[in-house]
Amino acid sequence: MAAPAESRKRIESLRDEIRYHNHRYHTLDDIEIPDAEYDRLMRELQDLEREYPELVTPDSPTQRVGGEPSDALQTVEHRLPMLSLDNVFSEDELHEFHRRVAEKLEFEDGAQDLQYAAEPKLDGAAISLLYQDGVLVRAATRGDGTTGEDITHNARTIESIPLRLLGDGYPNMLEVRGEVFMPLAGFEAYNKKARAGGEKTFVNPRNAAAGSLRQLDPKLTAERPLDMYVYSVGLVEGGELPGRHSEIIEQLRSWGLKTCPERRVVTGVEGCLGYYESIGKKRGELGYDIDGVVYKVDSLAMQRELGFVARAPRWAVAHKFPAQEELTVVVGVEFQVGRTGALTPVARLEPVFVGGVTVSNATLHNIDELHRKDVRIGDTVIVRRAGDVIPEVVSVVKRRRPKKTRRVHLPERCPVCDSHVTREEGEAVARCTGGLYCKAQRAEALKHFVSRRAMDIEGLGAKLIEQFVEEDRIKNPAEIYELTNEELAERERMGEKSAENLINSIEASKSTSLARFLFALGIREVGEATAQSLAAYFGNLPAITRASVDDLVKVPDVGPVVARRIRDFFDEEHNLDVIRQLQDLGVHWQDTDPMQVAEDGPFTGKTFVITGTLPGMTRDEAKALIQKEGGKVTGSVSKKTSYLLAGEKAGSKLSKAQQLEVEILDLDALLALLQH
Ligand code: 9MJ
């Protein structure tokens, strides 16, 4: 029966698609789809070709295994082919593999005692290193297994590849094989730098390793943080190696070649599974990517007996971890508000099985990342879930972008509390301005509100606050003042005595100062010192809540950014509400006279820095005094500093002032200046 037109069409389109991805992978070093997806395309094509053998053509991607050498590098023939490994994805498949091994070796008892050398399956780029009389004479990529590329110039730049073997006893001709990989720390650092410099980043460490090895200019390879472990031997002439795989690897190690420290010899399938599990647990701490483990029959005599099928040995198998990267579709993007008000875009996904679990949300980190990756609703994306790390959107498969997608914009208002969202110039993070009012930020804001230097409510600890917020019992700080003794005493783990203590301490906090109260409100950038300056300058709260940005910047120590924050805070009606409620519930303080800042006082136009311990005056008092006379007080000494007011135990600021030849005053000298 002739193949249906539909299947013919599908075969053609699969071939086109696979060729396209082959080119991206092997030539451009710029992959677009995860391995799992590539494997699926290949498998679908293989299945169709098996069904309709008359449609197999010699140029079908199924007829060629592995990479196409690029034109730019010299090709190398591997005298012994570089093998690939068969995969198993489950316990059952592993049992099946073991059963075949036992059968071929004619074990009668099920081969429970058969020893396997077990090692992590490194996710990098395979390399062949040829040592002649102990000297590295050639390095090559795997290529398609038969023909690779000469990358000797690049291999020489990798520190863990010895240019000469140590010790003696090595064969005259020794080909070792292993994996070049980029450790995760190096990968992250490299990408961070590339991003900052506007250069191309690597999608994953494997691609980074493969791309780095195939550079034409070894200087570029040398800049990449690469490492290598050896895991097998190829050609051996003029010498003998031990009779077990595990012993050979030890031998290679003694000659100065780097080997993976996680290697073990295990017994039977049980041993293999135990190893799989223990490496799976350690995976996140290894510092390099692995995509499974490899079991190799340890005895070389048995390996020889088992031989090969096609391009893979019968004596080894890779037991793969579930794929960490998968494709899925973005069905929406929502913004989550963190405890500090930071807005994080989160992609809602069509559920996909990745990294061993079903994932339906993935982080986009921040709005800049979202735009950099150009993620739109409707896009097909690569999702990555590595270990226990939260799943993330890695990239968009632009080729699969439908005609109609929706772009994502930063919301103007907080999705939790509807307050305005702000974003500072040059900052990646956008924030909700809701503060206390925003449920997402409530617990943090309340902890700050009750803290010792703010309202100083003892006994209202972090745990209790979190419970109250969780239960919606406290929605704003005013509600703290509505807690009753009975209600508290009924709570678990809270005795009558501590309930009473807490009530007393809430009561005591009602009598406070304007500075403490302002600080307690948790306005961004308004720390204790700024709160004090504001309180001293304006003397009362209504004056502050009404002050324009222009008024606010007149306050010593308040710059335009801080002024803007203060204005934004008091522009939110709900913030004023909470303040009113607090005052209605009895929170009060003593107003003071607004500061009379001398327009042309003795210190007008002068900038002071205060350091050390002053005799009989706190630094805050000295600061108020200077400000009252028209001076400005800043935190660090610079060329613009007019005077350093130095008390006892003055440290680095004093030496800085001396170095910059800034005039140094003690308290008496300062007071003397005011006499004139
Ligand atoms: C990796 N990728 O870590 C082999 N491999 O052995 C290990 N690869 C291998 N062994 C024979 N550990 C062919 C490939």
Side-chain angles (χ1 to χ4, degrees):
M1 196 183 75
E6 205 178 297
S7 303
R8 285 174 192 272
K9 258 174 80 180
R10 180 67 188 149
I11 286 177
E12 274 316 310
S13 102
L14 282 167
R15 285 178 185 161
D16 282 348
E17 179 101 10
I18 292 168
R19 283 191 194 107
Y20 170 83
H21 292 297
N22 278 348
H23 176 68
R24 292 205 72 97
Y25 184 95
H26 295 292
T27 311
L28 305 180
D29 289 324
D30 188 11
I31 50 171
E32 211 177 67
I33 55 169
D35 288 356
E37 176 67 8
Y38 180 86
D39 292 346
R40 266 194 302 272
L41 295 172
M42 197 59 139
R43 231 171 296 134
E44 190 187 344
L45 180 60
Q46 280 165 342
D47 289 348
L48 280 168
E49 289 184 348
R50 210 169 296 129
E51 202 175 334
Y52 306 108
E54 71 274 19
L55 298 184
V56 178
T57 56
D59 66 343
S60 172
T62 57
Q63 303 305 298
R64 168 197 278 288
V65 190
E68 299 175 42
S70 84
D71 303 338
L73 296 161
Q74 293 283 318
T75 57
V76 163
E77 294 295 316
H78 297 295
R79 276 178 55 194
L80 289 178
M82 280 182 85
L83 304 168
S84 57
L85 294 168
D86 274 340
N87 295 320
V88 295
F89 292 93
S90 68
E91 261 181 54
D92 283 352
E93 289 177 10
L94 177 62
H95 275 287
E96 184 54 29
F97 162 79
H98 176 76
R99 202 193 48 72
R100 283 196 306 269
V101 168
E103 195 177 84
K104 184 96 179 150
L105 292 175
E106 296 179 5
F107 270 81
E108 273 163 18
D109 57 357
Q112 280 156 12
D113 298 334
L114 186 69
Q115 294 204 311
Y116 288 103
E119 47 205 42
K121 184 166 186 301
L122 307 161
D123 201 6
I127 191 171
S128 150
L129 303 170
L130 190 61
Y131 288 90
Q132 190 169 8
D133 298 320
V135 175
L136 178 69
V137 291
R138 196 203 68 193
T141 63
R142 178 173 177 277
D144 65 2
T146 315
T147 310
E149 294 154 320
D150 192 321
I151 48 151
T152 314
H153 57 299
N154 294 330
R156 285 185 198 282
T157 71
I158 300 173
E159 273 175 44
S160 38
I161 298 182
L163 300 180
R164 164 177 279 285
L165 297 179
L166 298 178
D168 48 30
Y170 37 75
N172 301 119
M173 202 58 111
L174 173 66
E175 184 201 2
V176 296
R177 292 165 178 184
E179 199 87 353
V180 169
F181 57 94
M182 189 176 282
L184 296 174
F187 169 74
E188 301 292 349
Y190 184 90
N191 267 359
K192 197 171 165 191
K193 209 170 141 200
R195 213 170 282 142
E199 285 162 39
K200 207 179 96 181
T201 55
F202 289 117
V203 186
N204 57 42
R206 172 167 44 77
N207 222 41
S212 303
L213 272 191
R214 299 176 62 254
Q215 292 297 320
L216 295 179
D217 179 357
K219 275 204 214 79
L220 293 174
T221 311
E223 285 167 11
R224 313 279 170 88
L226 298 172
D227 204 345
M228 183 226 39
Y229 288 148
V230 294
Y231 50 62
S232 73
V233 292
L235 189 73
V236 179
E237 283 174 359
E240 289 278 318
L241 291 176
R244 294 192 155 266
H245 175 80
S246 51
E247 294 166 352
I248 293 176
I249 302 300
E250 267 313 307
Q251 180 70 265
L252 297 180
R253 203 161 86 86
S254 76
W255 289 328
L257 289 154
K258 216 166 156 179
T259 61
C260 179
E262 308 299 332
R263 289 168 297 114
R264 301 284 179 273
V265 174
V266 299
T267 306
V269 173
E270 288 313 307
C272 291
L273 290 174
Y275 181 79
Y276 179 82
E277 196 180 324
S278 77
I279 292 294
K281 284 207 185 103
K282 261 192 178 174
R283 188 181 186 183
E285 296 147 33
L286 293 176
Y288 47 86
D289 259 359
I290 61 172
D291 60 347
V293 297
V294 183
Y295 315 120
K296 298 172 179 172
V297 171
D298 200 30
S299 152
L300 288 213
M302 288 185 193
Q303 285 190 5
R304 274 189 290 274
E305 216 174 313
L306 286 159
F308 306 89
V309 267
R311 283 162 185 279
R314 276 205 200 88
W315 42 263
V317 78
H319 191 177
K320 299 283 278 277
F321 293 133
Q324 289 191 320
E325 290 187 351
E326 274 295 355
L327 285 186
T328 188
V329 173
V330 177
V331 295
V333 172
E334 285 172 19
F335 285 81
Q336 278 177 357
V337 188
R339 292 156 73 89
T340 58
L343 263 68
T344 305
V346 176
R348 303 280 173 234
L349 308 168
E350 276 180 8
V352 58
F353 190 74
V354 55
V357 300
T358 301
V359 164
S360 40
N361 302 306
T363 183
L364 286 155
H365 300 291
N366 58 56
I367 191 78
D368 277 354
E369 278 284 293
L370 183 151
H371 288 143
R372 196 176 59 75
K373 291 175 180 160
D374 190 18
V375 177
R376 304 181 194 175
I377 297 163
D379 267 337
T380 294
V381 292
I382 299 181
V383 175
R384 180 177 172 81
R385 180 186 177 270
D388 293 329
V389 182
I390 37 174
E392 62 168 353
V393 173
V394 179
S395 59
V396 173
V397 185
K398 292 266 170 65
R399 235 165 94 87
R400 299 204 184 174
R401 174 166 281 170
K403 287 219 172 61
K404 279 202 172 126
T405 52
R406 258 185 29 235
R407 289 176 198 263
V408 180
H409 302 285
L410 183 67
E412 281 175 18
R413 289 179 169 276
C414 172
V416 175
C417 73
D418 208 40
S419 298
H420 280 100
V421 168
T422 60
R423 187 172 166 220
E424 294 311 312
E425 279 268 321
E427 256 203 49
V429 180
R431 282 176 205 278
C432 161
T433 54
L436 280 170
Y437 179 74
C438 181
K439 184 164 182 191
Q441 301 172 66
R442 222 169 266 167
E444 285 310 297
L446 286 169
K447 283 181 212 169
H448 172 74
F449 185 83
V450 304
S451 65
R452 202 170 52 81
R453 306 186 71 92
M455 298 303 280
D456 191 19
I457 303 180
E458 215 179 310
L460 194 46
K463 279 240 166 64
L464 202 50
I465 287 180
E466 268 156 29
Q467 278 177 24
F468 281 133
V469 169
E470 195 53 43
E471 296 162 16
D472 247 352
R473 175 61 190 88
I474 297 187
K475 293 193 280 301
N476 67 43
E479 290 180 356
I480 293 174
Y481 293 91
E482 292 170 346
L483 291 171
T484 63
N485 208 332
E486 296 75 48
E487 181 187 354
L488 287 175
E490 273 170 23
R491 295 193 81 84
E492 235 182 306
R493 284 193 308 253
M494 183 130 202
E496 255 175 53
K497 185 73 198 149
S498 42
E500 196 182 312
N501 286 346
L502 176 52
I503 290 290
N504 287 341
S505 128
I506 291 173
E507 193 56 36
S509 77
K510 287 182 183 172
S511 176
T512 186
S513 68
L514 177 57
R516 271 178 180 273
F517 184 76
L518 282 171
F519 176 55
L521 291 176
I523 306 167
R524 280 193 70 219
E525 314 268 355
V526 177
E528 243 184 313
T530 308
Q532 281 168 6
S533 298
L534 286 167
Y537 186 89
F538 290 102
N540 66 78
L541 187 60
I544 302 175
T545 62
R546 282 196 299 262
S548 67
V549 168
D550 286 344
D551 290 335
L552 288 163
V553 291
K554 289 192 193 131
V555 179
D557 243 8
V558 173
V561 172
V562 181
R564 190 66 256 161
R565 296 258 206 249
I566 297 167
R567 196 54 260 152
D568 284 348
F569 183 87
F570 291 116
D571 277 342
E572 298 284 348
E573 191 55 37
H574 50 249
N575 288 335
L576 298 177
D577 266 351
V578 171
I579 291 170
R580 266 193 295 273
Q581 285 174 48
L582 283 163
Q583 289 182 300
D584 288 349
L585 286 160
V587 174
H588 64 278
W589 54 85
Q590 194 73 53
D591 284 348
T592 55
D593 289 334
M595 190 191 281
Q596 296 294 320
V597 176
E599 292 278 318
D600 52 355
F603 292 161
T604 301
K606 300 278 189 254
T607 303
F608 289 74
V609 173
I610 309 176
T611 185
T613 314
L614 303 170
M617 194 185 270
T618 67
R619 281 209 291 269
D620 282 334
E621 284 163 349
K623 184 172 167 182
L625 175 74
I626 293 168
Q627 289 172 344
K628 190 162 171 291
E629 303 299 337
K632 246 178 95 171
V633 179
T634 67
S636 54
V637 178
S638 74
K639 272 195 211 139
K640 292 193 194 134
T641 308
S642 322
Y643 299 106
L644 179 77
L645 173 58
E648 274 190 45
K649 298 213 186 86
S652 61
K653 285 180 189 170
L654 181 58
S655 27
K656 182 85 186 276
Q658 285 163 340
Q659 192 191 326
L660 295 176
E661 297 182 8
V662 169
E663 190 168 340
I664 296 158
L665 306 173
D666 61 11
L667 188 58
D668 285 342
L670 179 92
L671 296 173
L673 280 180
L674 289 176
Q675 304 299 315
H676 296 294

